[in-house]
PDB file of all heavy atoms in Angstrom:
ATOM      1  N   ARG A  18       2.513 -18.166  11.804  1.00 93.00           N
ATOM      2  CA  ARG A  18       2.556 -18.451  10.366  1.00 93.00           C
ATOM      3  C   ARG A  18       3.639 -17.609   9.700  1.00 93.00           C
ATOM      4  O   ARG A  18       3.870 -16.471  10.114  1.00 93.00           O
ATOM      5  CB  ARG A  18       1.214 -18.106   9.719  1.00 93.00           C
ATOM      6  CG  ARG A  18       0.116 -19.053  10.099  1.00 93.00           C
ATOM      7  CD  ARG A  18      -1.059 -18.814   9.186  1.00 93.00           C
ATOM      8  NE  ARG A  18      -2.243 -18.598  10.011  1.00 93.00           N
ATOM      9  CZ  ARG A  18      -3.359 -18.083   9.560  1.00 93.00           C
ATOM     10  NH1 ARG A  18      -3.465 -17.691   8.323  1.00 93.00           N
ATOM     11  NH2 ARG A  18      -4.390 -17.934  10.351  1.00 93.00           N
ATOM     12  N   PRO A  19       4.268 -18.122   8.657  1.00 93.00           N
ATOM     13  CA  PRO A  19       5.278 -17.316   7.958  1.00 93.00           C
ATOM     14  C   PRO A  19       4.612 -16.151   7.216  1.00 93.00           C
ATOM     15  O   PRO A  19       3.458 -16.242   6.794  1.00 93.00           O
ATOM     16  CB  PRO A  19       5.918 -18.299   6.970  1.00 93.00           C
ATOM     17  CG  PRO A  19       4.921 -19.396   6.807  1.00 93.00           C
ATOM     18  CD  PRO A  19       4.140 -19.472   8.083  1.00 93.00           C
ATOM     19  N   PHE A  20       5.347 -15.059   7.079  1.00 93.00           N
ATOM     20  CA  PHE A  20       4.851 -13.876   6.385  1.00 93.00           C
ATOM     21  C   PHE A  20       4.900 -14.094   4.874  1.00 93.00           C
ATOM     22  O   PHE A  20       5.895 -14.557   4.331  1.00 93.00           O
ATOM     23  CB  PHE A  20       5.699 -12.661   6.766  1.00 93.00           C
ATOM     24  CG  PHE A  20       5.367 -11.429   5.984  1.00 93.00           C
ATOM     25  CD1 PHE A  20       4.132 -10.822   6.109  1.00 93.00           C
ATOM     26  CD2 PHE A  20       6.288 -10.882   5.111  1.00 93.00           C
ATOM     27  CE1 PHE A  20       3.823  -9.675   5.381  1.00 93.00           C
ATOM     28  CE2 PHE A  20       5.993  -9.740   4.389  1.00 93.00           C
ATOM     29  CZ  PHE A  20       4.760  -9.139   4.531  1.00 93.00           C
ATOM     30  N   ARG A  21       3.808 -13.769   4.202  1.00 92.00           N
ATOM     31  CA  ARG A  21       3.755 -13.827   2.734  1.00 92.00           C
ATOM     32  C   ARG A  21       3.401 -12.453   2.209  1.00 92.00           C
ATOM     33  O   ARG A  21       2.346 -11.911   2.525  1.00 92.00           O
ATOM     34  CB  ARG A  21       2.685 -14.826   2.276  1.00 92.00           C
ATOM     35  CG  ARG A  21       3.058 -16.239   2.550  1.00 92.00           C
ATOM     36  CD  ARG A  21       2.098 -17.183   1.863  1.00 92.00           C
ATOM     37  NE  ARG A  21       2.258 -18.500   2.451  1.00 92.00           N
ATOM     38  CZ  ARG A  21       1.288 -19.373   2.588  1.00 92.00           C
ATOM     39  NH1 ARG A  21       0.081 -19.090   2.168  1.00 92.00           N
ATOM     40  NH2 ARG A  21       1.524 -20.538   3.128  1.00 92.00           N
ATOM     41  N   TYR A  22       4.291 -11.893   1.404  1.00 89.00           N
ATOM     42  CA  TYR A  22       4.088 -10.558   0.840  1.00 89.00           C
ATOM     43  C   TYR A  22       3.228 -10.636  -0.403  1.00 89.00           C
ATOM     44  O   TYR A  22       3.474 -11.446  -1.293  1.00 89.00           O
ATOM     45  CB  TYR A  22       5.441  -9.918   0.512  1.00 89.00           C
ATOM     46  CG  TYR A  22       5.331  -8.603  -0.193  1.00 89.00           C
ATOM     47  CD1 TYR A  22       4.764  -7.508   0.440  1.00 89.00           C
ATOM     48  CD2 TYR A  22       5.784  -8.455  -1.497  1.00 89.00           C
ATOM     49  CE1 TYR A  22       4.657  -6.288  -0.206  1.00 89.00           C
ATOM     50  CE2 TYR A  22       5.694  -7.238  -2.152  1.00 89.00           C
ATOM     51  CZ  TYR A  22       5.124  -6.155  -1.506  1.00 89.00           C
ATOM     52  OH  TYR A  22       5.008  -4.958  -2.152  1.00 89.00           O
ATOM     53  N   LEU A  23       2.205  -9.789  -0.476  1.00 86.00           N
ATOM     54  CA  LEU A  23       1.344  -9.685  -1.650  1.00 86.00           C
ATOM     55  C   LEU A  23       1.678  -8.387  -2.364  1.00 86.00           C
ATOM     56  O   LEU A  23       1.426  -7.294  -1.839  1.00 86.00           O
ATOM     57  CB  LEU A  23      -0.134  -9.698  -1.235  1.00 86.00           C
ATOM     58  CG  LEU A  23      -1.138  -9.419  -2.344  1.00 86.00           C
ATOM     59  CD1 LEU A  23      -1.100 -10.522  -3.401  1.00 86.00           C
ATOM     60  CD2 LEU A  23      -2.533  -9.298  -1.767  1.00 86.00           C
ATOM     61  N   ASP A  24       2.266  -8.473  -3.544  1.00 83.00           N
ATOM     62  CA  ASP A  24       2.632  -7.292  -4.327  1.00 83.00           C
ATOM     63  C   ASP A  24       1.369  -6.643  -4.873  1.00 83.00           C
ATOM     64  O   ASP A  24       0.610  -7.262  -5.621  1.00 83.00           O
ATOM     65  CB  ASP A  24       3.567  -7.687  -5.475  1.00 83.00           C
ATOM     66  CG  ASP A  24       4.014  -6.495  -6.294  1.00 83.00           C
ATOM     67  OD1 ASP A  24       3.823  -5.342  -5.850  1.00 83.00           O
ATOM     68  OD2 ASP A  24       4.566  -6.717  -7.389  1.00 83.00           O
ATOM     69  N   ARG A  25       1.150  -5.391  -4.517  1.00 81.00           N
ATOM     70  CA  ARG A  25      -0.033  -4.665  -4.983  1.00 81.00           C
ATOM     71  C   ARG A  25       0.303  -3.684  -6.098  1.00 81.00           C
ATOM     72  O   ARG A  25      -0.556  -2.936  -6.536  1.00 81.00           O
ATOM     73  CB  ARG A  25      -0.665  -3.932  -3.819  1.00 81.00           C
ATOM     74  CG  ARG A  25      -1.216  -4.903  -2.797  1.00 81.00           C
ATOM     75  CD  ARG A  25      -1.919  -4.192  -1.709  1.00 81.00           C
ATOM     76  NE  ARG A  25      -2.497  -5.155  -0.779  1.00 81.00           N
ATOM     77  CZ  ARG A  25      -2.957  -4.849   0.392  1.00 81.00           C
ATOM     78  NH1 ARG A  25      -2.942  -3.605   0.801  1.00 81.00           N
ATOM     79  NH2 ARG A  25      -3.461  -5.786   1.168  1.00 81.00           N
ATOM     80  N   GLY A  26       1.541  -3.661  -6.545  1.00 83.00           N
ATOM     81  CA  GLY A  26       1.929  -2.777  -7.629  1.00 83.00           C
ATOM     82  C   GLY A  26       2.639  -1.536  -7.116  1.00 83.00           C
ATOM     83  O   GLY A  26       2.907  -1.390  -5.934  1.00 83.00           O
ATOM     84  N   THR A  27       2.930  -0.626  -8.038  1.00 88.00           N
ATOM     85  CA  THR A  27       3.663   0.589  -7.735  1.00 88.00           C
ATOM     86  C   THR A  27       2.949   1.777  -8.358  1.00 88.00           C
ATOM     87  O   THR A  27       2.468   1.688  -9.495  1.00 88.00           O
ATOM     88  CB  THR A  27       5.093   0.511  -8.304  1.00 88.00           C
ATOM     89  OG1 THR A  27       5.713  -0.668  -7.790  1.00 88.00           O
ATOM     90  CG2 THR A  27       5.917   1.712  -7.938  1.00 88.00           C
ATOM     91  N   MET A  28       2.892   2.893  -7.625  1.00 87.00           N
ATOM     92  CA  MET A  28       2.255   4.107  -8.128  1.00 87.00           C
ATOM     93  C   MET A  28       3.163   5.298  -7.861  1.00 87.00           C
ATOM     94  O   MET A  28       3.807   5.360  -6.819  1.00 87.00           O
ATOM     95  CB  MET A  28       0.916   4.359  -7.428  1.00 87.00           C
ATOM     96  CG  MET A  28      -0.079   3.248  -7.536  1.00 87.00           C
ATOM     97  SD  MET A  28      -1.586   3.677  -6.659  1.00 87.00           S
ATOM     98  CE  MET A  28      -2.678   3.877  -8.043  1.00 87.00           C
ATOM     99  N   ALA A  29       3.181   6.237  -8.797  1.00 89.00           N
ATOM    100  CA  ALA A  29       3.944   7.468  -8.596  1.00 89.00           C
ATOM    101  C   ALA A  29       3.290   8.597  -9.379  1.00 89.00           C
ATOM    102  O   ALA A  29       2.885   8.406 -10.526  1.00 89.00           O
ATOM    103  CB  ALA A  29       5.381   7.292  -9.076  1.00 89.00           C
ATOM    104  N   THR A  30       3.169   9.762  -8.742  1.00 87.00           N
ATOM    105  CA  THR A  30       2.684  10.930  -9.470  1.00 87.00           C
ATOM    106  C   THR A  30       3.867  11.570 -10.173  1.00 87.00           C
ATOM    107  O   THR A  30       4.979  11.614  -9.652  1.00 87.00           O
ATOM    108  CB  THR A  30       2.019  11.959  -8.544  1.00 87.00           C
ATOM    109  OG1 THR A  30       2.948  12.349  -7.553  1.00 87.00           O
ATOM    110  CG2 THR A  30       0.766  11.398  -7.905  1.00 87.00           C
ATOM    111  N   VAL A  31       3.606  12.054 -11.364  1.00 85.00           N
ATOM    112  CA  VAL A  31       4.648  12.700 -12.154  1.00 85.00           C
ATOM    113  C   VAL A  31       4.457  14.201 -12.120  1.00 85.00           C
ATOM    114  O   VAL A  31       5.403  14.967 -12.161  1.00 85.00           O
ATOM    115  CB  VAL A  31       4.626  12.173 -13.610  1.00 85.00           C
ATOM    116  CG1 VAL A  31       5.672  12.851 -14.444  1.00 85.00           C
ATOM    117  CG2 VAL A  31       4.799  10.671 -13.622  1.00 85.00           C
ATOM    118  N   GLY A  32       3.230  14.650 -12.035  1.00 80.00           N
ATOM    119  CA  GLY A  32       2.912  16.069 -11.994  1.00 80.00           C
ATOM    120  C   GLY A  32       1.411  16.242 -11.886  1.00 80.00           C
ATOM    121  O   GLY A  32       0.682  15.280 -11.657  1.00 80.00           O
ATOM    122  N   ARG A  33       0.954  17.464 -12.051  1.00 79.00           N
ATOM    123  CA  ARG A  33      -0.481  17.748 -11.967  1.00 79.00           C
ATOM    124  C   ARG A  33      -1.203  17.029 -13.097  1.00 79.00           C
ATOM    125  O   ARG A  33      -1.013  17.333 -14.269  1.00 79.00           O
ATOM    126  CB  ARG A  33      -0.703  19.249 -12.068  1.00 79.00           C
ATOM    127  CG  ARG A  33      -2.111  19.686 -11.784  1.00 79.00           C
ATOM    128  CD  ARG A  33      -2.256  21.181 -11.887  1.00 79.00           C
ATOM    129  NE  ARG A  33      -1.377  21.890 -10.957  1.00 79.00           N
ATOM    130  CZ  ARG A  33      -1.750  22.311  -9.754  1.00 79.00           C
ATOM    131  NH1 ARG A  33      -2.962  22.074  -9.331  1.00 79.00           N
ATOM    132  NH2 ARG A  33      -0.900  22.951  -8.994  1.00 79.00           N
ATOM    133  N   GLY A  34      -2.005  16.043 -12.746  1.00 82.00           N
ATOM    134  CA  GLY A  34      -2.783  15.317 -13.745  1.00 82.00           C
ATOM    135  C   GLY A  34      -2.031  14.209 -14.465  1.00 82.00           C
ATOM    136  O   GLY A  34      -2.499  13.720 -15.481  1.00 82.00           O
ATOM    137  N   ALA A  35      -0.875  13.814 -13.953  1.00 89.00           N
ATOM    138  CA  ALA A  35      -0.112  12.745 -14.609  1.00 89.00           C
ATOM    139  C   ALA A  35       0.518  11.829 -13.563  1.00 89.00           C
ATOM    140  O   ALA A  35       0.989  12.286 -12.527  1.00 89.00           O
ATOM    141  CB  ALA A  35       0.980  13.336 -15.495  1.00 89.00           C
ATOM    142  N   ALA A  36       0.491  10.539 -13.851  1.00 91.00           N
ATOM    143  CA  ALA A  36       1.077   9.551 -12.941  1.00 91.00           C
ATOM    144  C   ALA A  36       1.421   8.293 -13.719  1.00 91.00           C
ATOM    145  O   ALA A  36       1.069   8.152 -14.897  1.00 91.00           O
ATOM    146  CB  ALA A  36       0.106   9.219 -11.808  1.00 91.00           C
ATOM    147  N   VAL A  37       2.090   7.380 -13.038  1.00 92.00           N
ATOM    148  CA  VAL A  37       2.419   6.073 -13.597  1.00 92.00           C
ATOM    149  C   VAL A  37       1.980   5.024 -12.582  1.00 92.00           C
ATOM    150  O   VAL A  37       2.253   5.154 -11.397  1.00 92.00           O
ATOM    151  CB  VAL A  37       3.937   5.931 -13.857  1.00 92.00           C
ATOM    152  CG1 VAL A  37       4.270   4.539 -14.356  1.00 92.00           C
ATOM    153  CG2 VAL A  37       4.409   6.983 -14.828  1.00 92.00           C
ATOM    154  N   VAL A  38       1.279   4.006 -13.057  1.00 92.00           N
ATOM    155  CA  VAL A  38       0.831   2.913 -12.206  1.00 92.00           C
ATOM    156  C   VAL A  38       1.273   1.615 -12.854  1.00 92.00           C
ATOM    157  O   VAL A  38       0.953   1.355 -14.010  1.00 92.00           O
ATOM    158  CB  VAL A  38      -0.708   2.915 -12.046  1.00 92.00           C
ATOM    159  CG1 VAL A  38      -1.172   1.706 -11.262  1.00 92.00           C
ATOM    160  CG2 VAL A  38      -1.183   4.199 -11.393  1.00 92.00           C
ATOM    161  N   GLU A  39       2.039   0.820 -12.124  1.00 92.00           N
ATOM    162  CA  GLU A  39       2.448  -0.503 -12.585  1.00 92.00           C
ATOM    163  C   GLU A  39       1.719  -1.528 -11.728  1.00 92.00           C
ATOM    164  O   GLU A  39       1.957  -1.619 -10.526  1.00 92.00           O
ATOM    165  CB  GLU A  39       3.957  -0.691 -12.470  1.00 92.00           C
ATOM    166  CG  GLU A  39       4.735   0.182 -13.424  1.00 92.00           C
ATOM    167  CD  GLU A  39       6.232  -0.017 -13.300  1.00 92.00           C
ATOM    168  OE1 GLU A  39       6.679  -0.805 -12.436  1.00 92.00           O
ATOM    169  OE2 GLU A  39       6.956   0.625 -14.067  1.00 92.00           O
ATOM    170  N   LEU A  40       0.830  -2.273 -12.333  1.00 88.00           N
ATOM    171  CA  LEU A  40       0.058  -3.278 -11.617  1.00 88.00           C
ATOM    172  C   LEU A  40       0.853  -4.562 -11.508  1.00 88.00           C
ATOM    173  O   LEU A  40       1.723  -4.848 -12.334  1.00 88.00           O
ATOM    174  CB  LEU A  40      -1.277  -3.495 -12.327  1.00 88.00           C
ATOM    175  CG  LEU A  40      -2.139  -2.229 -12.402  1.00 88.00           C
ATOM    176  CD1 LEU A  40      -3.321  -2.440 -13.324  1.00 88.00           C
ATOM    177  CD2 LEU A  40      -2.593  -1.815 -11.021  1.00 88.00           C
ATOM    178  N   PRO A  41       0.584  -5.375 -10.487  1.00 85.00           N
ATOM    179  CA  PRO A  41       1.416  -6.566 -10.241  1.00 85.00           C
ATOM    180  C   PRO A  41       1.383  -7.598 -11.355  1.00 85.00           C
ATOM    181  O   PRO A  41       2.300  -8.398 -11.468  1.00 85.00           O
ATOM    182  CB  PRO A  41       0.861  -7.149  -8.941  1.00 85.00           C
ATOM    183  CG  PRO A  41      -0.420  -6.476  -8.684  1.00 85.00           C
ATOM    184  CD  PRO A  41      -0.431  -5.205  -9.465  1.00 85.00           C
ATOM    185  N   TRP A  42       0.364  -7.612 -12.195  1.00 87.00           N
ATOM    186  CA  TRP A  42       0.301  -8.613 -13.271  1.00 87.00           C
ATOM    187  C   TRP A  42       0.879  -8.082 -14.576  1.00 87.00           C
ATOM    188  O   TRP A  42       0.710  -8.696 -15.611  1.00 87.00           O
ATOM    189  CB  TRP A  42      -1.128  -9.124 -13.464  1.00 87.00           C
ATOM    190  CG  TRP A  42      -2.144  -8.040 -13.682  1.00 87.00           C
ATOM    191  CD1 TRP A  42      -2.468  -7.449 -14.866  1.00 87.00           C
ATOM    192  CD2 TRP A  42      -2.949  -7.423 -12.708  1.00 87.00           C
ATOM    193  NE1 TRP A  42      -3.421  -6.492 -14.674  1.00 87.00           N
ATOM    194  CE2 TRP A  42      -3.738  -6.461 -13.354  1.00 87.00           C
ATOM    195  CE3 TRP A  42      -3.094  -7.579 -11.336  1.00 87.00           C
ATOM    196  CZ2 TRP A  42      -4.654  -5.661 -12.672  1.00 87.00           C
ATOM    197  CZ3 TRP A  42      -3.997  -6.775 -10.673  1.00 87.00           C
ATOM    198  CH2 TRP A  42      -4.767  -5.847 -11.337  1.00 87.00           C
ATOM    199  N   GLY A  43       1.575  -6.933 -14.528  1.00 85.00           N
ATOM    200  CA  GLY A  43       2.316  -6.457 -15.678  1.00 85.00           C
ATOM    201  C   GLY A  43       1.702  -5.307 -16.445  1.00 85.00           C
ATOM    202  O   GLY A  43       2.350  -4.716 -17.300  1.00 85.00           O
ATOM    203  N   MET A  44       0.465  -4.959 -16.175  1.00 90.00           N
ATOM    204  CA  MET A  44      -0.186  -3.855 -16.885  1.00 90.00           C
ATOM    205  C   MET A  44       0.320  -2.518 -16.345  1.00 90.00           C
ATOM    206  O   MET A  44       0.569  -2.378 -15.155  1.00 90.00           O
ATOM    207  CB  MET A  44      -1.696  -3.951 -16.697  1.00 90.00           C
ATOM    208  CG  MET A  44      -2.465  -2.945 -17.473  1.00 90.00           C
ATOM    209  SD  MET A  44      -4.226  -3.285 -17.220  1.00 90.00           S
ATOM    210  CE  MET A  44      -4.909  -1.792 -17.828  1.00 90.00           C
ATOM    211  N   THR A  45       0.482  -1.535 -17.235  1.00 93.00           N
ATOM    212  CA  THR A  45       0.941  -0.200 -16.846  1.00 93.00           C
ATOM    213  C   THR A  45      -0.055   0.844 -17.328  1.00 93.00           C
ATOM    214  O   THR A  45      -0.482   0.809 -18.482  1.00 93.00           O
ATOM    215  CB  THR A  45       2.331   0.092 -17.450  1.00 93.00           C
ATOM    216  OG1 THR A  45       3.252  -0.896 -16.972  1.00 93.00           O
ATOM    217  CG2 THR A  45       2.824   1.460 -17.062  1.00 93.00           C
ATOM    218  N   LEU A  46      -0.412   1.754 -16.439  1.00 89.00           N
ATOM    219  CA  LEU A  46      -1.260   2.887 -16.784  1.00 89.00           C
ATOM    220  C   LEU A  46      -0.418   4.146 -16.686  1.00 89.00           C
ATOM    221  O   LEU A  46       0.436   4.262 -15.807  1.00 89.00           O
ATOM    222  CB  LEU A  46      -2.430   3.021 -15.811  1.00 89.00           C
ATOM    223  CG  LEU A  46      -3.418   1.885 -15.697  1.00 89.00           C
ATOM    224  CD1 LEU A  46      -4.398   2.152 -14.555  1.00 89.00           C
ATOM    225  CD2 LEU A  46      -4.178   1.716 -16.995  1.00 89.00           C
ATOM    226  N   THR A  47      -0.669   5.106 -17.567  1.00 92.00           N
ATOM    227  CA  THR A  47       0.032   6.381 -17.499  1.00 92.00           C
ATOM    228  C   THR A  47      -0.966   7.504 -17.740  1.00 92.00           C
ATOM    229  O   THR A  47      -2.067   7.278 -18.223  1.00 92.00           O
ATOM    230  CB  THR A  47       1.155   6.475 -18.559  1.00 92.00           C
ATOM    231  OG1 THR A  47       0.589   6.305 -19.852  1.00 92.00           O
ATOM    232  CG2 THR A  47       2.231   5.426 -18.339  1.00 92.00           C
ATOM    233  N   GLY A  48      -0.547   8.721 -17.396  1.00 92.00           N
ATOM    234  CA  GLY A  48      -1.353   9.889 -17.684  1.00 92.00           C
ATOM    235  C   GLY A  48      -2.447  10.158 -16.672  1.00 92.00           C
ATOM    236  O   GLY A  48      -2.337   9.848 -15.485  1.00 92.00           O
ATOM    237  N   PHE A  49      -3.547  10.735 -17.178  1.00 91.00           N
ATOM    238  CA  PHE A  49      -4.633  11.186 -16.327  1.00 91.00           C
ATOM    239  C   PHE A  49      -5.340  10.038 -15.608  1.00 91.00           C
ATOM    240  O   PHE A  49      -5.669  10.140 -14.429  1.00 91.00           O
ATOM    241  CB  PHE A  49      -5.635  12.003 -17.159  1.00 91.00           C
ATOM    242  CG  PHE A  49      -6.701  12.655 -16.342  1.00 91.00           C
ATOM    243  CD1 PHE A  49      -6.411  13.746 -15.535  1.00 91.00           C
ATOM    244  CD2 PHE A  49      -8.001  12.185 -16.374  1.00 91.00           C
ATOM    245  CE1 PHE A  49      -7.394  14.346 -14.763  1.00 91.00           C
ATOM    246  CE2 PHE A  49      -8.995  12.782 -15.616  1.00 91.00           C
ATOM    247  CZ  PHE A  49      -8.683  13.867 -14.811  1.00 91.00           C
ATOM    248  N   LEU A  50      -5.579   8.933 -16.305  1.00 92.00           N
ATOM    249  CA  LEU A  50      -6.240   7.780 -15.685  1.00 92.00           C
ATOM    250  C   LEU A  50      -5.402   7.229 -14.532  1.00 92.00           C
ATOM    251  O   LEU A  50      -5.930   6.901 -13.462  1.00 92.00           O
ATOM    252  CB  LEU A  50      -6.507   6.685 -16.722  1.00 92.00           C
ATOM    253  CG  LEU A  50      -7.211   5.442 -16.213  1.00 92.00           C
ATOM    254  CD1 LEU A  50      -8.588   5.787 -15.663  1.00 92.00           C
ATOM    255  CD2 LEU A  50      -7.346   4.419 -17.330  1.00 92.00           C
ATOM    256  N   ALA A  51      -4.102   7.159 -14.707  1.00 92.00           N
ATOM    257  CA  ALA A  51      -3.215   6.693 -13.642  1.00 92.00           C
ATOM    258  C   ALA A  51      -3.235   7.676 -12.475  1.00 92.00           C
ATOM    259  O   ALA A  51      -3.229   7.274 -11.307  1.00 92.00           O
ATOM    260  CB  ALA A  51      -1.792   6.529 -14.171  1.00 92.00           C
TER     261      ALA A  51
END
């Protein structure tokens, strides 16, 4: 079967207690929750 990529989003820590999360449907979380 051909390979199909499923985008699960992007995550990165910025520092202690801070991060950025970009979800595949366009929502972005920042800060402590991320």
Side-chain angles (χ1 to χ4, degrees):
R18 289 192 233 165
F20 173 65
R21 290 190 196 147
Y22 174 65
L23 173 65
D24 182 13
R25 294 184 177 167
T27 305
M28 303 179 111
T30 58
V31 179
R33 189 179 301 265
V37 177
V38 175
E39 292 180 358
L40 300 170
W42 54 85
M44 185 176 166
T45 300
L46 299 173
T47 58
F49 187 72
L50 181 61

